[in-house]
Amino acid sequence: MPHFPPPELRMPSRQEVAGVMMRWLQPLVVDGEVRTSPGCGAYRYWIVFCMRDDSVGLRYRAGHETKEPGLDAAWFHRHSGTSTGRFHPTLEEGVGRHRIVSA
């Protein structure tokens, strides 16, 4: 009996992806503080990552990245709706697809 759904329509397993990500366009407030990019001080237009190990990281569109210990996987899933996050096999592929362009 064939498997359903066919392999090309299945979601990848958690072990097959580096993590999930979402755009966060407004300022990100964690524990009452607005987070800023460690590289340039910007405070909007983030890509928020929830990695396989449940750590959360931030990336600003200029490429500056930082881990965010004030956020966890539960926060990410609450705010992303999980279904709006996208699975990508590598971090680089995900960043390329979630590139943020300011208005």
Side-chain angles (χ1 to χ4, degrees), residues 44-62:
R44 299 180 350 157
Y45 304 111
W46 296 101
I47 296 175
V48 182
F49 301 97
C50 184
M51 304 308 287
R52 187 180 299 156
D53 66 359
D54 289 337
S55 65
V56 173
L58 305 173
R59 180 181 175 112
Y60 183 65
R61 65 180 170 202

Side-chain angles (χ1 to χ4, degrees), residues 13 21 33 37 45 47 57 72 75-76 81 91:
S13 72
M21 57 190 68
E33 290 185 28
S37 169
Y45 304 111
I47 296 175
D72 59 12
W75 178 93
F76 180 90
L91 181 62

Side-chain angles (χ1 to χ4, degrees), residues 13-31:
S13 72
R14 189 170 178 119
Q15 292 73 34
E16 295 173 311
V17 296
V20 292
M21 57 190 68
M22 68 174 170
R23 291 183 183 124
W24 191 270
L25 303 178
Q26 65 269 20
L28 180 62
V29 180
V30 179
D31 296 329

Side-chain angles (χ1 to χ4, degrees), residues 1-10:
M1 177 171 191
H3 293 281
F4 184 81
E8 63 273 8
L9 297 178
R10 293 185 201 149

